[in-house]
């Protein structure tokens, strides 16, 4: 079993930056994929970025950059030039293929406002 805990959210002004972190307890396998999702009020949860242990990334917005530290079983999301529409709860997600499992963090609030 893996537990995920996000941190680093908060209030930031438009144009600012934040770095979210996701700490995991339990074993993270090399094939596991870390992902970041967000949920804007009134909308469905949406994918922001993914990153594999080999550093392969899928990014939906070039302002966001995922990274991970395999030795520490942590993941990060660097967010730059933030806009008010980025205001959301951001979730860390771990997808495991073998066995097929997925794990979610509790989420961290990001608010972009002047």
């Amino acid at each position: 079993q893996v537990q995920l805990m996000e941190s680093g959210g908060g209030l930031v002004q438009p144009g600012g930056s934040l770095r979210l972190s996701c700490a995991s307890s339990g074993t993270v396998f090399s094939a596991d994929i870390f992902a970041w999702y967000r949920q804007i009020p009134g909308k469905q949860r949406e994918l922001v970025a993914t990153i594999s242990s080999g550093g392969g990334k899928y990014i939906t917005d070039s302002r966001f950059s995922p990274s991970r530290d395999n030795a520490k079983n942590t993941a990060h999301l660097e967010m730059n030039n933030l806009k008010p529409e980025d205001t959301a709860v951001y979730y860390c997600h771990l997808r495991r293929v073998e066995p097929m499992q997925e794990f979610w963090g509790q989420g961290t609030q990001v608010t972009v406002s002047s």
Side-chain angles (χ1 to χ4, degrees):
Q1 195 73 9
V2 175
Q3 291 185 323
L4 304 174
M5 178 66 72
E6 303 94 339
S7 62
L11 174 64
V12 62
Q13 292 188 340
S17 298
L18 277 178
R19 186 174 189 247
L20 304 182
S21 295
C22 175
S24 62
S25 63
T27 301
V28 176
F29 299 152
S30 60
D32 293 346
I33 304 292
F34 271 110
W36 290 93
Y37 287 77
R38 70 183 185 185
Q39 188 159 21
I40 297 169
K43 296 189 176 182
Q44 287 190 328
R45 196 171 295 188
E46 62 181 9
L47 178 66
V48 175
T50 69
I51 183 164
S52 69
S53 63
K57 302 176 185 179
Y58 174 78
I59 301 171
T60 62
D61 190 315
S62 60
R63 297 177 295 128
F64 299 159
S65 178
S67 62
R68 68 190 275 176
D69 184 330
N70 294 324
K72 296 181 179 179
N73 292 335
T74 58
H76 305 280
L77 181 68
E78 190 77 32
M79 305 187 294
N80 299 306
N81 190 24
L82 285 162
K83 304 174 182 179
E85 51 263 42
D86 295 318
T87 294
V89 178
Y90 285 73
Y91 296 90
C92 180
H93 175 267
L94 187 73
R95 179 167 61 91
R96 175 165 297 165
V97 176
E98 186 62 41
M100 189 168 289
Q101 294 174 301
E102 62 174 356
F103 307 95
W104 290 93
Q106 293 296 310
T108 185
Q109 176 71 46
V110 171
T111 302
V112 185
S113 175
S114 55

